[in-house]
Amino acid sequence: MTPSFATLPDLIVEPLVRAALLEDLGQSGDITTRAVIPAGTTYQARLNARDAGVVSGMQIARIAFHLVDPTLHIETQLQDGSPCTPGQTLMTISGSAASILSGERVALNFAGRMSGIASLTQSFVAETKGTQTRITCTRKTTPGLRMVEKQAVLHGGGYNHRYGLSDAILIKDNHIAAAGGIAAVLQAAKTNVSHMMKIEIEVDTLAQLEEVLASGGADVVLLDNMDTATLSEAVAMARGQVVTEASGNMRLDRIAEVAATGVDYISSGALTHSVQTLDLGLDF
């Protein structure tokens, strides 16, 4: 099943785009454009794909151009989440040439990176075909850009993991060590957590998984850095009791065999931390 996603409100996204524009324009604005483009010059520019992939970041590109100049006329040809081919026009921007040039780099930086994330996510999702396994992201995102990078994962057909430290319990190995063991840490979580909050716990071995299942209290178990044979056994042990998530060393070339184990989710930091920007260009 392909996940559905809603466009983030412009009000939430705008501060990120505004900060990027302020960084680029500095204290003097676009001095090159001001020096060489005659006042009143108008143009129509096309934001084109130069690679095949999945489009993401069109909302942000639109916001970037409109923050520079609200009078620009923008038409989005391909919506976020759509496939694109080389040479295909994603967006047209008409109006002041100076304004278009001043917003170009920020718009392309966001759209190129987000489209790269969406495209890589789609490649991961394709490897799960024929299974019920879902691809999900992690917190290994660019500082300050987590919101839009996680949105790009949705555009690629993936799912979002917890947003940050405040919206779900995820007990890692260091938590277990500091809290005095699996039974103790799960008991503490059950005692202190809201009834609205999910609890996930990481295990590295089948023995740890057995203890988690015996202790109870976990909603999700993260099967970390297991080889495929061990992972298959772990999924069979946990089936019907907790949601399973495979993580650690989840490369694209391994996703199909991991999905074949029947695991519910595969999480990969590579979706956001090792992505290649999709080549996009603004053509006059």
Side-chain angles (χ1 to χ4, degrees):
M1 179 185 297
T2 300
S4 60
F5 54 84
T7 300
L8 293 169
D10 286 359
L11 180 66
I12 295 177
V13 178
E14 183 179 293
L16 300 179
V17 188
R18 185 180 295 273
L21 286 167
L22 289 172
E23 177 184 58
D24 206 28
L25 292 169
Q27 298 180 358
S28 302
D30 184 353
I31 59 174
T32 305
T33 294
R34 196 162 62 243
V36 305
I37 302 298
T41 302
T42 60
Y43 221 93
Q44 182 182 78
R46 300 179 308 281
L47 199 167
N48 292 331
R50 294 174 179 167
D51 284 334
V54 177
V55 176
S56 184
M58 292 300 98
Q59 176 193 17
I60 292 187
R62 172 181 54 77
I63 291 172
F65 286 119
H66 272 162
L67 282 174
V68 172
D69 185 349
T71 71
L72 290 174
H73 179 69
I74 298 170
E75 292 187 4
T76 302
Q77 309 297 324
L78 281 183
Q79 299 297 325
D80 289 334
S82 303
C84 64
T85 56
Q88 194 164 12
T89 297
L90 313 182
M91 174 182 286
T92 59
I93 310 98
S94 306
S96 164
S99 298
I100 296 171
L101 290 166
S102 294
E104 172 184 4
R105 180 41 51 197
V106 167
L108 289 176
N109 282 352
F110 274 109
R113 177 162 181 79
M114 290 180 66
S115 294
I117 291 170
S119 300
L120 182 60
T121 301
Q122 194 279 328
S123 296
F124 272 66
V125 170
E127 294 295 313
T128 69
K129 186 176 181 180
T131 75
Q132 296 299 309
T133 302
R134 295 176 171 183
I135 298 296
T136 185
C137 54
T138 72
R139 287 167 47 239
K140 295 177 181 178
T141 52
T142 306
L145 300 182
R146 180 171 297 170
M147 178 198 317
V148 295
E149 292 187 346
K150 281 183 170 285
Q151 188 74 359
V153 169
L154 298 181
H155 293 157
Y159 289 78
N160 283 169
H161 208 279
R162 62 174 178 164
Y163 183 82
L165 294 173
S166 65
D167 57 315
I169 300 285
L170 203 175
I171 302 166
K172 305 295 286 291
D173 52 357
N174 288 337
H175 296 110
I176 294 170
I182 287 174
V185 78
L186 283 173
Q187 181 58 47
K190 288 185 289 184
T191 300
N192 294 299
V193 74
S194 161
H195 68 291
M196 300 294 289
M197 192 76 70
K198 295 287 187 179
I199 300 173
E200 180 172 14
I201 187 167
E202 175 187 295
V203 300
D204 302 312
T205 67
L206 296 178
Q208 288 179 322
L209 174 59
E210 188 173 6
E211 186 175 357
V212 167
L213 297 175
S215 298
D219 301 291
V220 187
V221 62
L222 191 156
L223 307 169
D224 191 46
N225 281 304
M226 291 183 175
D227 60 48
T228 305
T230 304
L231 187 61
S232 293
E233 191 171 348
V235 169
M237 287 173 60
R239 185 170 289 117
Q241 300 183 70
V242 292
V243 173
T244 53
E245 174 188 338
S247 187
N249 197 31
M250 292 299 157
R251 308 177 311 273
L252 180 60
D253 61 2
R254 192 183 171 211
I255 297 304
E257 70 175 57
V258 172
T261 68
V263 70
D264 296 308
Y265 289 87
I266 298 173
S267 58
S268 176
L271 299 180
T272 51
H273 72 55
S274 299
V275 68
Q276 180 175 336
T277 296
L278 191 72
D279 192 6
L280 307 177
L282 193 73
D283 298 321
F284 269 50

